[in-house]
C-alpha cells in the first residue's frame, strides 16, 4: 500500500541504525573470517578491517546526510504547511533548510499570496454586500423607468424578473407573477417551436402572437453564457397593423390611378402634338392647349413622385421594418415551415435587408404552400441578390415560373396567422414591394422575386459577444510612457508575444517563414482580440513533413504577401512594446536581416524557465504547459498565433515566480535570462 506521508522519524531512525549496525556487525564477522583464513601482517590487518567496516560506515553517514539535509527539512515543511492550514493568518514561518532551501522564495510567495487573498476576500465580502445592495437598488430604479415590457424566464420557463412596464402592459392578467410559467401569460403553442430553435448566442427572434384580443410583437432571445435563461420583450402590434392597413394602405392605393392619369395626360399631349403637325395648324389655340396639358402633366407627375417618395419613406421608417440577416431569415423561415425537415437551402452571398420578419415569414409560408401544390417537389433554394436600389429576395425551385394570373390570385389570399388577416398584397405594400416570377437563364430553374430595401451594412452578425477588452481602467495606474524601459516593472510592460511557422528548421540553408502570429499583453492582461496573424508566401514548395506539423499547405500561402511586406506591418504592430517568444533565438533569426529593424528588447520564456529551474529537465513549450497546468483550447498548438497565445499564458504563469525572487524590472530579467543562455541548438523548441 502506498504510504500517505513520510514514515515516522523514530521508525526511520530505527531502521537506519539497525541497517547500519547489521552492516557493521556483518563487516566485523566477515573481517574476522578473512583474518582466520588469510595470514596477514599487522599493517594489512588494519586495511582489511577498515574495508569490511566501510559499508556500514558509509550507510551510517549517508543516512545521517539524508536525515539532516532532506528528511528533517521535509518534516519542517510539512509542519509549516500544517500550521498555515490550521491558522492561515500566522505570520512567523521557518524558511526551508537543507536541499529544500531553494524553495524558500516560492514558499514565501505562496504565503504572501495566501495572506493577500484572505485579506482581499474579507474586504470583497464587505464591499460585495454593499455593492449588491447598490446594484439591486439601481436595477429596481432602471426597471421602473424602462418603458419596454421586459420578462426574464429561467430554463424551466418560470418568471424570474419583470418590470413595471410589463405589469402595466399585462394589467389584470393572472399569468404575470414571479415563479409563474410562461404558458400562463402567453400561448405556448405559438412560442414552443421558437423557444426550441433559439440560438445560444443571443440572436433575437421575432413572432406575432395573440393575447387577450390583441396581437403582440414578441422579441425573444437566449441570454448568452447563461443557464438557459430567456429574455422576452413585448409590444402591441395591433394598432401598427391597423395603421398600415388603413391610411397608409389607402394612400398607397391612390398612387396607381394617379400614375394612370399622368400617363394619360402625357399620351394626350403627344396625340395633340401629332394632330397639329398633320393638320398644319398654326393657330395659337392648339399651341396654348398643348402647353397647358404639358405643364399640368409635368406638375402632376412631380406631385405623384413626391407622394410616392413620401409613402416609401413612411413605409421604410415604420417601426416594424428592421434589419435582417438573410441567412437568419432563411433559417427562421425553415423553422416556421417545418423544423423537422430542411426545405430551403441558402445559396449565394448572405446580405442584410430591411423588412418585417414575422410578416415576411407569413408571406413566404403562404407562397411556399401554393408553390408546393403547383410544382413537383417541395425543395427550394433561397438567394439574395443586390441592385443599386434594392435587395432582391428570391425563392428558387426546379421547374417553370408561375403565371402572372396565378400569382395575382395567391397575393390576394389572406394571411390568417397575422393580425387582422391581411392579404399577401398588403404585406408587399407594407414593404413598398412587389412580386413576380421569372425563368432562370439555365432554363431549368425558376424563381419568385421580391425587391426589398437594402441596408448599408456588410459584416455578418457576430456569432458570440466579444470579450470585454475595450476598457481597462487599470491602465491609468501604469507608469508614465517616459519611464526608462530598463527600470519598468514587469507587470506594467507592454509585450508583443510572437511565433513563426516555417518551411523547415534550417533557416541558414534556405528555410523561411510561412506564417507569423502575435498577440499583446497590456497591464498584465492577455488581449484576445488584439492580434496579428498573417500567412507569408515563401515562393518555394512547403515540404510535406512541415505541413504535417503546422497544417499549412502551398494553396494557403500562394496569394499571401512576401515576408518583407508582412514584417513591415508587424513592426508597426509592435510599436514601443517589448518582444517575447519561446526559443526566441530561432524566431528572431527567422525575421532578422529582411530589411526591417527589430531593435527592441527580446524576452525568451525558454531561457527564463531554464534560469528559474536549472535543476529540472524539460523546458520546451509542451512540457511547460503541463508543468504549470495551463488549459488550452483544442487545435491551438503548432499555429503561429496559437503558440503565441500559449507563450503569453506561460509568461503570466512565470511572472509571480520571478517576483518571488526579486526579479521585478526588465533590467533584472534580462540579466537573469542572459545567465541561462548556453550553446544549445536554437532551433530546438
Amino acid at each position: 500500500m502506498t504510504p500517505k506521508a513520510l514514515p515516522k522519524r523514530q521508525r526511520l531512525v530505527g531502521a537506519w541504525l539497525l541497517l547500519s549496525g547489521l552492516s557493521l556487525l556483518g563487516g566485523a564477522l566477515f573481517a574476522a573470517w578473512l583474518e582466520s583464513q588469510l595470514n596477514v601482517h599487522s599493517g594489512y590487518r588494519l586495511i582489511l578491517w577498515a574495508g569490511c567496516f566501510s559499508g556500514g560506515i558509509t550507510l551510517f553517514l549517508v543516512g545521517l546526510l539524508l536525515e539532516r539535509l532532506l528528511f528533517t527539512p521535509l518534516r519542517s515543511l510539512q509542519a509549516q504547511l500544517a500550521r498555515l492550514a490550521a491558522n492561515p493568518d500566522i505570520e512567523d514561518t521557518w524558511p526551508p533548510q537543507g536541499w529544500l532551501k531553494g524553495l524558500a522564495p516560492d514558499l514565501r510567495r505562496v504565503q504572501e499570496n495566501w495572506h493577500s487573498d484572505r485579506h482581499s476576500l474579507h474586504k470583497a465580502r464587505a464591499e460585495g454586500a454593499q455593492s449588491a445592495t447598490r446594484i439591486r437598488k439601481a436595477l429596481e430604479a432602471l426597471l421602473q423607468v424602462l418603458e419596454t415590457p421586459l420578462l426574464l424566464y429561467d430554463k424551466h420557463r418560470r418568471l424570474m424578473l419583470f418590470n413595471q412596464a410589463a405589469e402595466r402592459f399585462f394589467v389584470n392578467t393572472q399569468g404575470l407573477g414571479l415563479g409563474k410559467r410562461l404558458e400562463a401569460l402567453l400561448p405556448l403553442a405559438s412560442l414552443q417551436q421558437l423557444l426550441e430553435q433559439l440560438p445560444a448566442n443571443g440572436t433575437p427572434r421575432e413572432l406575432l402572437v395573440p393575447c387577450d384580443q390583441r396581437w403582440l410583437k414578441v422579441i425573444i432571445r437566449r441570454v448568452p453564457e447563461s443557464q438557459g435563461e430567456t429574455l422576452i420583450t413585448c409590444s402591441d402590434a395591433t394598432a401598427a397593423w391597423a395603421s398600415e392597413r388603413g391610411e397608409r394602405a389607402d394612400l398607397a392605393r391612390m398612387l396607381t390611378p394617379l400614375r394612370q392619369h399622368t400617363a394619360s395626360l402625357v399620351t394626350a399631349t403627344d396625340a395633340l402634338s401629332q394632330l397639329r403637325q398633320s393638320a398644319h395648324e398654326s393657330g395659337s389655340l392648339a399651341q396654348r392647349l398643348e402647353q397647358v396639358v404639358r405643364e399640368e402633366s409635368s406638375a402632376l407627375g412631380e406631385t405623384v413622385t413626391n407622394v410616392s417618395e413620401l409613402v416609401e419613406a413612411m413605409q421604410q421608417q415604420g417601426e416594424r421594418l428592421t434589419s435582417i440577416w438573410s441567412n437568419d431569415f432563411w433559417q427562421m423561415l425553415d423553422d416556421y415551415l417545418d423544423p423537422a425537415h430542411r426545405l430551403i437551402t441558402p445559396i449565394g452571398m448572405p446580405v442584410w435587408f430591411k423588412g418585417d420578419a414575422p410578416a415576411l415569414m407569413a408571406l413566404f409560408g403562404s407562397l411556399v404552400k401554393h408553390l408546393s401544390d403547383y410544382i413537383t417537389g417541395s425543395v427550394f433554394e433561397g438567394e439574395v441578390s443586390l441592385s443599386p436600389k434594392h435587395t432582391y429576395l428570391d425563392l428558387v425551385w426546379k421547374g417553370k415560373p408561375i403565371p402572372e394570373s396565378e400569382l395575382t390570385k395567391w397575393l390576394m389570399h389572406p394571411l390568417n396567422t397575422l393580425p387582422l388577416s391581411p392579404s399577401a398584397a398588403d404585406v408587399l405594400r407594407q414593404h413598398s414591394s412587389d412580386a413576380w416570377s421569372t425563368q432562370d437563364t439555365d432554363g431549368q430553374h425558376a424563381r419568385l422575386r421580391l425587391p426589398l430595401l437594402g441596408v448599408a451594412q456588410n459584416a455578418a452578425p457576430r456569432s458570440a459577444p466579444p470579450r470585454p477588452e475595450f476598457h481597462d481602467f487599470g491602465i491609468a495606474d501604469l507608469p508614465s510612457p517616459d519611464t526608462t524601459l530598463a527600470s519598468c516593472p514587469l507587470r506594467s510592460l507592454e509585450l508583443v508575444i510572437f511565433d513563426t511557422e516555417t518551411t523547415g528548421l534550417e533557416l541558414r540553408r534556405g528555410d523561411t517563414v510561412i506564417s507569423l502570429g502575435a498577440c499583446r499583453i497590456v497591464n498584465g492582461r492577455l488581449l484576445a482580440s488584439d492580434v496579428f496573424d498573417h500567412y507569408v508566401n515563401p515562393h518555394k514548395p512547403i515540404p510535406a513533413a512541415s505541413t504535417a506539423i503546422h497544417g499549412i499547405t502551398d494553396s494557403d500561402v500562394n496569394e499571401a504577401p512576401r515576408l518583407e511586406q508582412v514584417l513591415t506591418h508587424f513592426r508597426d504592430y509592435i510599436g514601443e512594446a517589448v518582444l517575447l517568444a519561446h526559443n526566441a533565438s530561432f524566431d528572431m533569426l527567422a525575421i532578422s536581416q529582411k530589411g526591417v529593424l527589430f531593435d527592441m528588447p527580446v524576452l525568451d520564456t525558454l531561457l527564463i524557465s531554464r534560469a528559474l529551474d536549472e535543476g529540472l529537465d524539460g523546458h520546451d513549450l509542451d512540457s511547460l504547459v503541463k508543468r504549470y497546468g495551463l488549459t488550452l483550447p483544442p487545435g491551438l498548438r503548432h499555429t503561429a498565433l496559437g503558440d503565441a497565445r500559449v507563450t503569453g499564458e506561460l509568461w503570466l504563469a512565470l511572472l509571480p515566480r520571478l517576483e518571488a525572487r526579486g526579479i521585478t524590472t526588465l533590467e533584472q530579467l534580462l540579466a537573469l535570462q542572459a545567465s541561462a543562455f548556453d550553446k544549445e541548438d536554437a532551433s530546438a523548441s
Side-chain angles (χ1 to χ4, degrees):
M1 184 176 67
T2 303
K4 297 181 179 180
L6 288 173
K8 291 184 178 181
R9 184 173 183 275
Q10 294 83 350
R11 295 180 181 178
L12 194 63
V13 171
W16 161 54
L17 293 177
L18 177 62
L19 289 176
S20 300
L22 291 176
S23 179
L24 289 173
L25 178 60
L29 294 176
F30 183 65
W33 178 79
L34 283 178
E35 186 177 0
S36 65
Q37 297 295 321
L38 301 175
N39 186 15
V40 293
H41 300 287
S42 57
Y44 290 106
R45 183 181 298 123
L46 181 62
I47 296 175
L48 175 65
W49 280 86
C52 291
F53 279 119
S54 63
I57 295 173
T58 301
L59 184 60
F60 178 84
L61 293 177
V62 168
L64 183 62
L65 184 66
L66 289 175
E67 172 63 16
R68 295 190 60 182
L69 298 183
L70 179 61
F71 292 112
T72 297
L74 278 175
R75 296 184 185 283
S76 175
L77 180 61
Q78 183 180 12
Q80 181 172 331
L81 291 176
R83 291 182 69 198
L84 289 174
N87 185 7
D89 295 324
I90 194 170
E91 295 292 341
D92 57 323
T93 57
W94 312 294
Q97 301 296 324
W99 290 343
L100 303 184
K101 194 173 184 178
L103 296 177
D106 288 326
L107 185 61
R108 185 171 61 253
R109 182 67 176 185
V110 169
Q111 185 183 10
E112 291 173 356
N113 287 342
W114 194 336
H115 290 161
S116 176
D117 289 344
R118 286 182 57 81
H119 175 72
S120 300
L121 182 60
H122 289 309
K123 184 178 179 181
R125 285 176 177 171
E127 293 177 350
Q130 298 176 356
S131 178
T133 302
R134 290 195 302 269
I135 292 174
R136 178 175 56 81
K137 292 181 178 179
L139 180 60
E140 290 174 353
L142 177 62
L143 292 176
Q144 288 177 4
V145 301
L146 187 64
E147 295 297 331
T148 302
L150 182 146
L151 309 167
L152 181 64
Y153 285 88
D154 68 359
K155 63 180 179 180
H156 300 295
R157 299 197 294 272
R158 294 175 300 206
L159 185 59
M160 301 167 56
L161 177 147
F162 64 94
N163 61 348
Q164 290 187 346
E167 191 174 27
R168 292 191 298 267
F169 190 79
F170 294 102
V171 63
N172 299 325
T173 302
Q174 300 301 319
L176 184 69
L178 293 178
K180 292 187 177 182
R181 300 290 297 272
L182 173 61
E183 49 265 38
L185 185 65
L186 298 173
L188 186 60
S190 302
L191 299 173
Q192 182 69 41
Q193 179 178 314
L194 188 61
L195 289 170
E196 294 174 353
Q197 301 292 331
L198 276 181
N201 59 12
T203 303
R205 293 288 187 259
E206 297 181 13
L207 192 67
L208 288 168
V209 298
C211 180
D212 294 336
Q213 306 302 318
R214 294 184 297 179
W215 281 91
L216 306 184
K217 179 183 178 182
V218 178
I219 300 178
I220 307 178
R221 69 187 74 208
R222 189 79 70 202
V223 179
E225 300 181 9
S226 68
Q227 300 298 320
E229 286 85 358
T230 303
L231 184 66
I232 299 178
T233 57
C234 305
S235 60
D236 192 340
T238 308
W241 268 93
S243 173
E244 290 168 0
R245 296 194 62 213
E247 292 81 2
R248 294 188 182 186
D250 293 339
L251 185 58
R253 281 193 290 269
M254 291 172 58
L255 292 177
T256 300
L258 283 174
R259 293 191 180 101
Q260 292 175 351
H261 291 313
T262 303
S264 298
L265 283 173
V266 173
T267 303
T269 303
D270 294 338
L272 182 60
S273 177
Q274 294 176 4
L275 178 62
R276 183 178 59 81
Q277 293 176 1
S278 62
H280 301 285
E281 296 181 5
S282 58
S284 60
L285 179 60
Q287 292 180 356
R288 288 197 300 273
L289 181 59
E290 180 182 338
Q291 180 66 25
V292 170
V293 173
R294 183 178 293 110
E295 290 176 356
E296 290 298 325
S297 300
S298 176
L300 182 58
E302 184 178 351
T303 302
V304 170
T305 300
N306 293 337
V307 173
S308 177
E309 292 177 353
L310 176 61
V311 172
E312 184 176 355
M314 290 173 61
Q315 300 284 9
Q316 294 172 3
Q317 294 173 5
E319 62 178 6
R320 297 179 57 80
L321 300 185
T322 58
S323 298
I324 304 173
W325 182 243
S326 59
N327 277 359
D328 282 348
F329 175 76
W330 296 125
Q331 180 181 345
M332 286 190 295
L333 181 58
D334 236 350
D335 296 338
Y336 176 81
L337 294 172
D338 188 355
H341 302 88
R342 311 314 295 179
L343 301 180
I344 302 176
T345 302
I347 62 175
M349 184 67 67
V351 298
W352 291 92
F353 64 90
K354 202 166 188 179
D356 179 358
L360 288 176
M361 283 195 294
L363 171 64
F364 271 89
S366 174
L367 295 176
V368 167
K369 181 180 183 300
H370 287 295
L371 281 169
S372 299
D373 298 334
Y374 187 84
I375 64 176
T376 303
S378 57
V379 178
F380 302 93
E381 294 176 335
E383 185 175 16
V384 183
S385 55
L386 300 176
S387 74
K389 293 185 178 180
H390 293 93
T391 297
Y392 293 109
L393 206 61
D394 295 345
L395 192 65
V396 185
W397 65 89
K398 192 170 185 179
K400 298 297 182 181
I402 306 303
E404 187 68 24
S405 59
E406 191 72 20
L407 183 57
T408 302
K409 294 180 183 178
W410 294 357
L411 294 180
M412 300 309 297
H413 192 273
L415 306 177
N416 295 322
T417 58
L418 293 177
L420 306 178
S421 300
S423 67
D426 291 332
V427 174
L428 290 176
R429 277 194 294 270
Q430 176 200 359
H431 291 80
S432 298
S433 183
D434 199 356
W436 62 86
S437 183
T438 61
Q439 186 78 53
D440 281 4
T441 55
D442 62 1
Q444 298 182 3
H445 293 82
R447 65 183 60 215
L448 181 67
R449 168 163 288 186
L450 271 69
L452 298 171
L453 183 66
V455 179
Q457 186 174 352
N458 297 322
R462 299 184 69 97
S463 58
R467 288 180 60 179
E469 292 180 344
F470 51 86
H471 66 82
D472 184 352
F473 301 116
I475 292 178
D477 300 326
L478 295 178
S480 167
D482 298 330
T483 303
T484 304
L485 191 60
S487 59
C488 192
L490 295 181
R491 286 194 177 272
S492 65
L493 283 178
E494 181 182 0
L495 297 170
V496 168
I497 310 97
F498 80 104
D499 186 71
T500 61
E501 299 295 340
T502 60
T503 56
L505 300 179
E506 298 183 352
L507 298 178
R508 301 186 187 278
R509 298 183 181 181
D511 283 323
T512 185
V513 177
I514 55 176
S515 178
L516 177 59
C519 53
R520 194 181 298 272
I521 288 180
V522 177
N523 197 25
R525 298 170 65 240
L526 180 60
L527 305 183
S529 56
D530 189 349
V531 298
F532 183 92
D533 189 16
H534 287 276
Y535 282 138
V536 179
N537 191 340
H539 295 283
K540 60 183 293 187
I542 302 175
S546 298
T547 298
I549 296 175
H550 47 57
I552 302 175
T553 63
D554 293 329
S555 60
D556 294 328
V557 299
N558 282 341
E559 304 298 327
R562 298 175 61 88
L563 179 57
E564 292 77 7
Q565 296 174 265
V566 174
L567 290 180
T568 300
H569 295 310
F570 181 51
R571 184 62 185 86
D572 294 337
Y573 174 79
I574 295 172
E576 301 300 321
V578 175
L579 282 178
L580 173 69
H582 190 79
N583 194 11
S585 57
F586 177 83
D587 296 300
M588 290 302 298
L589 179 62
I591 65 174
S592 62
Q593 300 178 357
K594 306 295 182 182
V596 181
L597 180 62
F598 297 94
D599 55 354
M600 68 288 297
V602 180
L603 298 176
D604 188 346
T605 50
L606 173 66
L607 297 180
I608 295 172
S609 175
R610 188 184 295 163
L612 289 175
D613 299 306
E614 58 182 344
L616 298 179
D617 295 327
H619 299 284
D620 59 278
L621 202 53
D622 288 324
S623 297
L624 293 177
V625 165
K626 184 177 180 180
R627 180 178 302 165
Y628 290 102
L630 303 181
T631 303
L632 307 179
L636 196 64
R637 286 285 282 118
H638 301 299
T639 65
L641 179 58
D643 284 351
R645 291 185 188 278
V646 174
T647 304
E649 295 287 356
L650 176 59
W651 162 261
L652 296 177
L654 292 172
L655 193 54
R657 299 198 62 202
L658 292 170
E659 293 173 338
R661 287 156 175 78
I663 309 297
T664 58
T665 66
L666 178 61
E667 182 179 23
Q668 294 171 325
L669 180 57
L670 290 174
L672 176 71
Q673 178 176 288
S675 68
F677 183 79
D678 59 21
K679 297 182 179 180
E680 289 190 13
D681 185 6
S683 67
S685 60

